[in-house]
Amino acid sequence: MRQPIVNICLFFFVLQVICIVASLLYPNDFRYVSETNIGLLLRAIPVLGIISLGVGVLMITGEYDLSVGSVYTLAGYSIALLFGMGLPVWLAVIATLAIAIAIGVTNGLITVKFAIPSFIATMGAMLVVRGVVRWLSEGRTVSFKPDETFSGLLTGAFYGIEAPFIWFIGLALLTGLLVHKSKLGNHFYLVGGHEKTAIAVGINSHRVKVIAFALASLAAAIAGILSITRVGTATPAQGIGLELKAIAVCVIGGLFLSGGRGTVLGIVVGACLMYMVEDVLLLLRAPGFYLDVFVGAILVVAVILNTWLTRKAGK
Amino acid sequence: MTIPSSTPLLALKGISKQYGHVQALSGVDFQINRNEIVGLLGDNGAGKSTLVRIMSGVEFPDSGQVFRDGQPATIKSRKDSEKLGIETIYQDSALVGSASIMRNFFAGRELTKGLGILDTHKMNAIVMDILVNMVRISGINSPDILVEALSGGQRQAVAIARAVYFKTAMLLLDEPTSALSVRETAKLLEHLAELKREGVSAVFITHNLYHAYESCDRFTILSRGQVIGSLAKAETSVRELNDLIVKY
Ligand SMILES: Nc1ncnc2c1ncn2[C@@H]1O[C@H](COP(=O)(O)OP(=O)(O)OP(=O)(O)O)[C@@H](O)[C@H]1O
Ligand SMILES: [Mg+2]
């Protein structure tokens, strides 16, 4: 049905097969199929993956959010500080998510009401929120040690599968339901595809976009909570650059910067692919700069392919 | 209460609209009667599209009144115009190219199974039924085809099919033929005639006076935001229409 997704899945699958075969042939040099490595992947993917789900929904409506990296860090500080003040952990979670939603709604309202590019509006938010984090943290790291039940639920393992990955898949399924099967999801696509037409058929494009902004922020906060629960600490500079990585994941997954296209499956595969490449390079003991080169190359090639395929399908 | 058939479906009285310094419309009277196709004619910038946008609720006039079946009405949003049975096919943006036929067909009026979840199955069935049996568009075999993969004529047909399905009383077409081939245009004019048989009234904007003369029952001519004439087909000719538009 949608060309780019077929493409990216195929690429992912082929790469997967190559890695597995290579790891079976050279079990000592290339430990791809090992419990440690798989565990590592399953823990690494969810943070960026969850952020990308939110960023992707927003991208479908034709907007961006550069503040998700900052919101991600703020969420870690918010939950740790609120919990430290003696708030029950669940209340700290709800308060943190509420703060994130408020930031997202503000981003959305500023973008649609003043009709300015979201790129600029959220770049402002990125700096402001990062500043708030610095102020809250006074430059120090913060630690977060909730009770076993809470941390077990977020970071434990069920039947050998890492909990963060299960959360990621669960959230991806929810996002898929919203985006592909619901009325609101259809409005995301129509507004992103051609806003004027969407308005002409009676869709409140401002409302639709503000909701998408809120979801992007919400997803970033969920990732932030997941991350600090797993690691136990947060630093004020963490999460810088995640906003661009999330956009890269979405683009690799077949979403368009211009909006109106893409699938949730694409985002999931995009996130997995991103970490797989990182992981493979690490296993091969390649120097760090290779990673940037590879991710950069994949990004550009993915966009070229997707654009070309879409143009061909549109003929 | 029965409405006499002579009462216009929609009547606009003294409509004015200003954009900055431009007086796009000044004191325009316009009406659409039952089972009638009105040709809205005039040179570039005459105010035709502005009038259509006002009737479809995308734009709000500075002054003037609207009557539906003789009763005062207000059109402040697309939802209002939809309630009055008005459907618009725009010059540039009738459908979203990157979305499928079905998702365009039901855009903003999606059928759900409750909780906002789409009833995709039912919508697909309806779209295929209408496209195959009613509008008879050739070459469309799936409701999942993206609209950008359709020709200009097929797109117009989808938009018209949508109007038919949603029991539109009045269809406003703003230069629907501007991007169509000769054959597609002929097909569209056929659709228009069919629509009229279904009891739908229409406003047809075009710069091609032959097309207008062929398919319309009455003509309203705008020039620089003012109505300079409203003529029935029987009392005019392509020649006279042309002279009227050029002279002013
Ligand atoms: N959004 C707008 N902002 C400012 N001026 C506008 C706007 N829309 C229309 N106008 C002006 O109003 C006048 C009427 O424009 P309109 O689009 O209604 O003309 P038209 O009869 O549809 O012309 P055409 O045949 O070229 O489509 C023009 O002078 C136009 O420049
Ligand atoms: Mg026009």
Side-chain angles (χ1 to χ4, degrees):
Chain A
M1 178 173 87
R2 289 187 176 85
Q3 297 281 346
I5 183 66
V6 178
N7 204 32
I8 192 77
C9 285
L10 208 67
F11 181 63
F12 181 70
F13 182 72
V14 170
L15 206 64
Q16 211 49 267
V17 170
I18 294 174
C19 286
I20 291 169
V21 170
S23 124
L24 293 177
L25 289 177
Y26 308 99
N28 294 323
D29 297 320
F30 189 68
R31 300 170 184 275
Y32 186 72
V33 190
S34 68
E35 210 170 302
T36 354
N37 189 49
I38 292 171
L40 200 77
L41 270 177
L42 294 189
R43 277 193 302 272
I45 293 168
V47 166
L48 180 60
I50 290 171
I51 296 179
S52 303
L53 288 175
V55 168
V57 168
L58 184 58
M59 249 168 95
I60 288 171
T61 71
E63 303 288 347
Y64 312 91
D65 189 347
L66 294 182
S67 71
V68 288
S70 299
V71 170
Y72 162 82
T73 317
L74 178 70
Y77 272 89
S78 157
I79 192 169
L81 294 177
L82 289 172
F83 183 65
M85 280 161 45
L87 224 60
V89 73
W90 285 109
L91 275 182
V93 169
I94 290 169
T96 300
L97 297 182
I99 292 169
I101 290 173
I103 295 172
V105 169
T106 310
N107 280 340
L109 287 177
I110 289 177
T111 303
V112 300
K113 293 299 172 202
F114 296 105
I116 62 172
S118 53
F119 192 84
I120 301 298
T122 59
M123 187 188 282
M126 169 176 95
L127 297 170
V128 170
V129 173
R130 183 66 63 183
V132 169
V133 169
R134 296 231 154 86
W135 171 71
L136 277 175
S137 69
E138 296 164 334
R140 285 195 292 271
T141 59
V142 69
S143 60
F144 175 57
K145 296 273 180 284
D147 58 82
E148 292 286 311
T149 344
F150 182 79
S151 61
L153 201 58
L154 260 66
T155 62
F158 298 96
Y159 302 103
I161 300 175
E162 303 285 340
F165 198 77
I166 297 176
W167 278 97
F168 173 45
I169 296 303
L171 288 171
L173 289 176
L174 262 182
T175 311
L177 184 70
L178 172 72
V179 165
H180 298 304
K181 303 275 182 222
S182 84
K183 186 169 171 159
L184 180 61
N186 197 33
H187 294 181
F188 287 152
Y189 281 97
L190 295 171
V191 166
H194 197 173
E195 191 167 358
K196 254 175 83 183
T197 306
I199 295 170
V201 297
I203 294 170
N204 184 342
S205 74
H206 285 188
R207 183 175 148 266
V208 167
K209 284 191 170 179
V210 170
I211 292 174
F213 273 103
L215 290 176
S217 234
L218 177 66
I222 293 174
I225 292 174
L226 213 60
S227 163
I228 194 173
T229 308
R230 183 163 75 83
V231 184
T233 57
T235 62
Q238 91 181 42
I240 289 177
L242 271 180
E243 56 285 328
L244 292 182
K245 255 187 157 174
I247 292 176
V249 162
C250 293
V251 168
I252 290 174
L255 271 68
F256 277 59
L257 292 179
S258 47
R261 291 171 207 272
T263 58
V264 172
L265 180 61
I267 303 172
V268 172
V269 175
C272 293
L273 201 63
M274 189 84 132
Y275 274 102
M276 236 185 95
V277 171
E278 194 169 323
D279 180 53
V280 167
L281 292 172
L282 275 174
L283 288 173
L284 295 173
R285 297 182 198 85
F289 59 83
Y290 269 94
L291 177 64
D292 294 338
V293 173
F294 256 82
V295 171
I298 291 182
L299 184 65
V300 174
V301 171
V303 174
I304 291 173
L305 270 178
N306 289 347
T307 309
W308 180 67
L309 282 172
T310 308
R311 199 167 297 149
K312 213 175 69 167
K315 278 276 150 64
Chain B
M1 188 186 79
T2 54
I3 301 152
S5 64
S6 60
T7 311
L9 266 178
L10 191 76
L12 287 85
K13 298 230 155 66
I15 299 288
S16 295
K17 175 77 190 177
Q18 200 164 357
Y19 292 110
H21 302 298
V22 182
Q23 189 72 42
L25 295 174
S26 40
V28 166
D29 293 340
F30 182 71
Q31 67 180 55
I32 307 171
N33 298 317
R34 241 154 260 285
N35 211 14
E36 169 188 69
I37 301 184
V38 192
L40 184 55
L41 308 176
D43 214 342
N44 289 115
K48 307 180 296 291
S49 296
T50 306
L51 193 60
V52 164
R53 284 201 297 271
I54 286 172
M55 287 189 278
S56 49
V58 181
E59 209 89 67
F60 196 64
D62 302 330
S63 59
Q65 292 160 293
V66 179
F67 299 89
R68 173 74 216 263
D69 291 326
Q71 301 296 311
T74 33
I75 310 179
K76 285 207 158 155
S77 68
R78 171 67 193 111
K79 287 272 176 255
D80 289 343
S81 67
E82 192 183 323
K83 262 185 238 132
L84 299 183
I86 298 169
E87 188 82 19
T88 314
I89 298 183
Y90 286 95
Q91 205 164 0
D92 52 350
S93 60
L95 305 167
V96 176
S98 57
S100 72
I101 293 177
M102 182 276 269
R103 283 176 179 251
N104 269 288
F105 197 96
F106 284 96
R109 287 182 287 213
E110 294 86 352
L111 306 179
T112 62
K113 297 189 266 196
L115 292 172
I117 299 299
L118 298 174
D119 194 342
T120 310
H121 199 75
K122 190 164 167 194
M123 290 191 285
N124 278 339
I126 290 171
V127 169
M128 279 326 280
D129 180 54
I130 298 275
L131 290 184
V132 172
N133 297 322
M134 192 142 193
V135 187
R136 287 183 288 276
I137 314 177
S138 51
I140 294 182
N141 47 24
S142 157
D144 289 330
I145 300 174
L146 299 187
V147 162
E148 65 196 359
L150 301 180
S151 74
Q154 290 172 322
R155 284 180 212 199
Q156 299 289 4
V158 170
I160 286 175
R162 181 169 68 180
V164 171
Y165 176 73
F166 285 105
K167 303 249 181 300
T168 300
M170 289 160 274
L171 186 62
L172 316 181
L173 302 114
D174 191 348
E175 296 192 38
T177 58
S178 59
L180 300 190
S181 70
V182 174
R183 183 192 297 218
E184 284 173 343
T185 302
K187 189 100 194 202
L188 181 94
L189 298 181
E190 252 173 58
H191 284 320
L192 262 184
E194 227 167 282
L195 272 177
K196 196 181 153 187
R197 281 195 291 278
E198 300 265 346
V200 178
S201 291
V203 174
F204 182 30
I205 298 181
T206 175
H207 286 286
N208 187 319
L209 296 181
Y210 294 94
H211 291 162
Y213 195 77
E214 184 188 328
S215 36
C216 300
D217 306 306
R218 195 162 56 80
F219 308 92
T220 297
I221 300 139
L222 281 177
S223 173
R224 292 190 210 121
Q226 289 180 309
V227 176
I228 56 170
S230 188
L231 304 158
K233 182 174 182 161
E235 59 190 34
T236 189
S237 62
V238 173
R239 177 112 185 223
E240 190 189 2
L241 291 172
N242 185 60
D243 290 348
L244 263 173
I245 292 168
V246 174
K247 204 171 66 198
Y248 277 88

